[in-house]
Amino acid sequence: MSTTPEPTHGAAASTKAVRAYFAELQDRICDAMAEIDGTPFDSREIHNNRGGIGRPRVLKDGPVFEQAAVNVTFARGDHLPPAASKRKPELAGRAFEAASISVIAHPRNPHAPTSHANLRFFRAAPSGSSAEPAWWFGGGFDLTPYYGYAEDAYHWHSSAQDAVQAFGSDLYPRFKEQCDEYFYLPHRQEPRGIGGLFFDDLSELAEDGANSDVPEETQFDRCWALTRSVGDHLLPAYMPIVERRHKTSYTERERRFQLLRRGRYVEFNLIHDRGTRYGLQAGARTESVLASLPPNVSWEYDFTPEPGSAEAALLSEFLTARDWLAEPLPTAMTE
Amino acid sequence: MSTTPEPTHGAAASTKAVRAYFAELQDRICDAMAEIDGTPFDSREIHNNRGGIGRPRVLKDGPVFEQAAVNVTFARGDHLPPAASKRKPELAGRAFEAASISVIAHPRNPHAPTSHANLRFFRAAPSGSSAEPAWWFGGGFDLTPYYGYAEDAYHWHSSAQDAVQAFGSDLYPRFKEQCDEYFYLPHRQEPRGIGGLFFDDLSELAEDGANSDVPEETQFDRCWALTRSVGDHLLPAYMPIVERRHKTSYTERERRFQLLRRGRYVEFNLIHDRGTRYGLQAGARTESVLASLPPNVSWEYDFTPEPGSAEAALLSEFLTARDWLAEPLPTAMTE
């Protein structure tokens, strides 16, 4: 950020650390996915003329992943777009820098779920010479199964809880609820998937059970540690499920249902997703932004799953914003 | 419209005529498509609790049309949504009635183009007891080829010109330009197709060459005659092209390219199209609104057509907002 002196401590010093972590996490995730798939990622580094860097990595047409996209971007600009912060509209228009990582994996096998994760860090320049820059984190991860498995849902949500539990026992229920609210298609009155974690505008984390007055540096450290913990929990949350499901034999009917459900995924991303719409409107590289879309998709007019089928159970038992860690597992689709 | 007395003359009397014409045009279009395809349309009539009627008709999985949707809706409401009229924001909030027909045909054969048409009529209640209700028409038709044929493009645009020529020689160039502007994907910097006609907020049509002061009843008659002429020209514009192309032999590569280009169609409809977004936001029946989407679609990260190929020619020769009626036909892809 050219308008601020080189940071030496606290939140400001840590932009470098955030960028380093996102780059390392990208390597770690791509390595794990390329290893199980046997297909390398196409990796690029694209510099724009405003000092921004995009590092799209995409695995296409693999035996395990029909597509996987792991993108890291470092952006800076003179005017923070209003869409960047919902809670702090007064920051819009300031000089800013941003770092983000997004992960989308679309397995080929209909029994293996699609996963999505995103972590982001924003820092806006101070408005006066003495004020500290404002900063915040956002992110989370969510799962979109095509065929529901209660043990997968339980494992996913346990991992989500594990990721944030040490930072406050209220966080998992709060972030889970925010995830259910965000990944929802109002025009279908359907959740996109079974959720996970979603947080935004995070720059304060109370000590568990107390609203103590903590210095900002400690707040940064705590929010940053939580964000890393969410990043670190993605592979342990997702890969065991992929390993369990990617060799399951499947029928044409199951493949067809997967393609139809992927249609919902496209609808969500193109109609509702703030990140996708913002990326397209802000002039980001379209191929990087839309690498989140599944490679093959179908729509069928007035499709309704057969009552009592596994396809119907996905909607009635899984896409219901249920509390996976509190309730007994549904008997449908458990193994 | 319960707030106005039964209309006896002029624009007000003609809501019935508009509805009757749209219903008859729907029959005519469905009959022609069902005949060439050999597959019947699924036809429904859906009444909502506000006096609205939806008549979705969808042909699925036919040998000629992979999907075709011809929907007629009659809506009424107490508050005109702001999106209904761009030019007359002062009408928002008034009681209104609306009638519309939309037509989308996705042929199976990649050499046969997708076509889209829409006609709509709005009437808003008067603000005072003596004022006449406001009314306006909108609509047009546009073509989306996957493989470009200059003779098809010429035929399509000739038909478009024929449809409106009698109402003013300025109309075809004006409506064509509006069509090119509207059916454009800014994030791809690409037109959706080769265009056609697009008009909106139409309640005035000058006599050719003169801006004479015509009474409203005559203006209504003229705008309504133009709207009908556009509707009447759709089948003669489109069906000869379908007849010419639907049996063309095609390769896997051509099918694949068609599916990728259909991805652009989905992007346009879900991100940009006012009708689709308005329908979903206003709580219209989602399955009717999204029957416009192609049934099978692909995305491929960073796909680029081979230089010199027919796929590259689609972009360089056809999707260029060119003046098809003024220029000599491009040599590429003429037969």
Side-chain angles (χ1 to χ4, degrees):
Chain A
M1 199 178 304
S2 57
T3 54
T4 37
E6 195 54 34
T8 53
H9 70 284
S14 299
T15 299
K16 250 178 118 170
V18 172
R19 291 172 60 140
Y21 172 76
F22 285 178
E24 183 275 319
L25 182 62
Q26 184 185 35
D27 287 343
R28 210 192 316 160
I29 292 169
C30 290
D31 288 352
M33 289 184 173
E35 191 186 333
I36 191 174
D37 194 278
T39 306
F41 277 77
D42 172 296
S43 297
R44 320 228 176 152
E45 180 158 310
I46 297 164
H47 295 253
N48 72 20
N49 52 18
R50 292 160 300 181
I53 304 173
R55 283 188 188 155
R57 294 192 188 165
V58 179
L59 184 166
K60 271 161 68 163
D61 207 20
V64 177
F65 296 109
E66 207 167 324
Q67 182 145 311
V70 186
N71 295 342
V72 164
T73 57
F74 306 127
R76 59 178 70 202
D78 292 333
H79 303 284
L80 183 71
S85 172
K86 271 183 92 170
R87 223 186 43 187
K88 299 175 178 173
E90 73 277 11
L91 298 177
R94 292 202 205 162
F96 73 99
E97 49 187 22
S100 70
I101 178 168
S102 66
V103 184
I104 301 99
H106 290 291
R108 186 175 298 281
N109 194 305
H111 295 276
T114 286
S115 72
H116 164 253
N118 173 265
L119 299 174
R120 54 194 180 274
F121 174 62
F122 279 90
R123 203 157 69 84
S127 54
S129 56
S130 62
E132 276 292 295
W135 55 265
W136 63 99
F137 292 95
F141 54 59
D142 64 282
L143 196 73
T144 307
Y146 303 98
Y147 286 85
Y149 291 93
E151 67 168 316
D152 294 354
Y154 179 83
H155 172 76
W156 181 260
H157 278 278
S158 296
S159 308
Q161 188 179 49
D162 288 349
V164 299
Q165 189 70 7
F167 303 89
S169 59
D170 60 319
L171 295 181
Y172 167 71
R174 213 171 91 202
F175 292 175
K176 177 197 183 293
E177 191 183 340
Q178 289 171 193
C179 194
D180 289 336
E181 277 168 19
Y182 183 78
F183 293 102
Y184 184 79
L185 288 80
H187 63 283
R188 298 286 192 182
Q189 299 182 285
E190 267 178 24
R192 179 169 90 170
I194 62 159
L197 300 170
F198 183 91
F199 60 97
D200 206 358
D201 288 314
L202 183 77
S203 56
E204 257 187 84
L205 268 178
E207 298 257 20
D208 204 3
N211 276 308
S212 58
D213 195 5
V214 214
E216 194 203 315
E217 195 165 344
T218 313
Q219 282 294 7
F220 178 88
D221 294 340
R222 207 179 293 160
C223 294
W224 172 220
L226 175 139
T227 302
R228 287 200 313 275
S229 180
V230 172
D232 293 341
H233 277 77
L234 175 64
L235 286 174
Y238 186 50
M239 296 307 279
I241 299 174
V242 174
E243 276 157 26
R244 244 192 323 258
R245 307 293 168 205
H246 79 92
K247 289 180 179 160
T248 308
S249 68
Y250 61 90
T251 62
E252 283 232 3
R253 164 185 165 146
E254 288 167 338
R255 172 67 172 170
R256 178 85 193 149
F257 185 65
Q258 178 196 39
L259 298 184
L260 292 175
R261 295 301 311 173
R262 282 177 175 177
R264 302 292 211 266
Y265 205 87
V266 172
E267 290 173 23
F268 182 84
N269 282 20
L270 297 186
I271 299 174
H272 298 293
D273 187 55
R274 270 165 48 201
T276 303
R277 294 185 65 81
Y278 168 72
L280 296 179
Q281 286 163 3
R285 177 174 177 258
T286 296
E287 285 298 318
S288 301
V289 175
L290 296 187
S292 63
L293 299 181
N296 295 293
V297 184
S298 297
W299 278 270
E300 184 181 333
Y301 176 67
D302 209 30
F303 172 84
T304 315
E306 230 172 82
S309 65
E311 292 80 12
L314 177 75
L315 288 138
S316 61
E317 301 294 313
F318 289 85
L319 305 189
T320 56
R322 73 197 303 160
D323 184 348
W324 288 96
L325 305 184
E327 293 176 22
L329 298 184
T331 49
M333 304 300 298
T334 52
E335 290 179 320
Chain B
M1 198 178 306
S2 56
T3 53
T4 38
E6 197 54 32
T8 53
H9 71 284
S14 300
T15 300
K16 248 178 122 169
V18 172
R19 291 172 60 140
Y21 172 75
F22 285 176
E24 183 276 317
L25 183 62
Q26 183 185 35
D27 287 343
R28 208 189 321 158
I29 292 169
C30 290
D31 286 351
M33 291 184 173
E35 190 185 336
I36 191 175
D37 194 278
T39 306
F41 277 77
D42 172 296
S43 297
R44 320 224 177 156
E45 180 159 307
I46 297 163
H47 294 253
N48 71 20
N49 52 19
R50 293 160 302 180
I53 303 172
R55 285 189 188 154
R57 293 191 188 166
V58 179
L59 183 166
K60 272 161 66 164
D61 206 22
V64 178
F65 295 110
E66 207 167 322
Q67 182 145 312
V70 186
N71 295 341
V72 164
T73 57
F74 305 129
R76 59 179 70 203
D78 293 332
H79 303 283
L80 183 70
S85 172
K86 270 183 93 169
R87 224 185 44 185
K88 298 176 179 171
E90 74 277 11
L91 298 178
R94 292 203 206 161
F96 73 100
E97 50 187 23
S100 70
I101 178 168
S102 67
V103 184
I104 300 100
H106 291 290
R108 185 176 299 280
N109 193 304
H111 296 276
T114 286
S115 71
H116 164 251
N118 172 265
L119 298 174
R120 53 193 180 274
F121 173 63
F122 279 89
R123 204 159 68 86
S127 54
S129 56
S130 62
E132 275 291 294
W135 54 265
W136 62 100
F137 291 95
F141 54 61
D142 64 283
L143 196 73
T144 307
Y146 303 98
Y147 285 86
Y149 291 93
E151 66 169 314
D152 295 352
Y154 179 82
H155 171 76
W156 180 259
H157 278 279
S158 296
S159 307
Q161 189 178 47
D162 289 348
V164 299
Q165 189 70 7
F167 303 89
S169 60
D170 60 318
L171 294 182
Y172 168 70
R174 212 172 92 205
F175 292 174
K176 177 196 183 295
E177 193 184 338
Q178 289 171 193
C179 194
D180 288 337
E181 277 169 20
Y182 183 77
F183 293 103
Y184 185 78
L185 288 78
H187 64 280
R188 299 286 190 182
Q189 300 183 285
E190 266 177 26
R192 180 169 90 169
I194 63 160
L197 301 169
F198 183 92
F199 60 97
D200 205 358
D201 287 313
L202 184 77
S203 55
E204 257 187 87
L205 268 178
E207 298 258 20
D208 205 3
N211 276 309
S212 60
D213 195 6
V214 214
E216 194 203 318
E217 193 164 350
T218 313
Q219 282 293 9
F220 178 88
D221 293 341
R222 206 178 294 160
C223 295
W224 172 219
L226 177 139
T227 302
R228 285 199 316 274
S229 180
V230 172
D232 292 342
H233 278 77
L234 175 64
L235 286 173
Y238 185 50
M239 294 309 278
I241 300 175
V242 173
E243 275 158 24
R244 245 192 323 258
R245 307 296 167 201
H246 80 91
K247 287 180 180 161
T248 308
S249 67
Y250 61 90
T251 63
E252 282 231 3
R253 167 186 162 144
E254 288 167 338
R255 171 67 173 171
R256 177 85 193 150
F257 185 64
Q258 178 196 40
L259 297 184
L260 292 175
R261 295 301 310 172
R262 283 178 173 176
R264 301 292 211 267
Y265 205 88
V266 172
E267 290 173 23
F268 182 84
N269 282 20
L270 297 186
I271 299 174
H272 298 293
D273 186 54
R274 270 165 45 202
T276 304
R277 294 186 65 80
Y278 167 71
L280 296 180
Q281 287 163 4
R285 178 175 176 255
T286 295
E287 285 298 317
S288 301
V289 176
L290 296 186
S292 64
L293 299 182
N296 295 293
V297 183
S298 296
W299 278 269
E300 183 181 333
Y301 176 67
D302 210 30
F303 171 84
T304 315
E306 232 172 81
S309 64
E311 292 80 12
L314 177 75
L315 288 139
S316 63
E317 302 296 313
F318 288 86
L319 304 189
T320 58
R322 72 196 304 159
D323 184 349
W324 288 97
L325 305 184
E327 294 175 20
L329 298 184
T331 50
M333 306 299 298
T334 52
E335 290 180 323

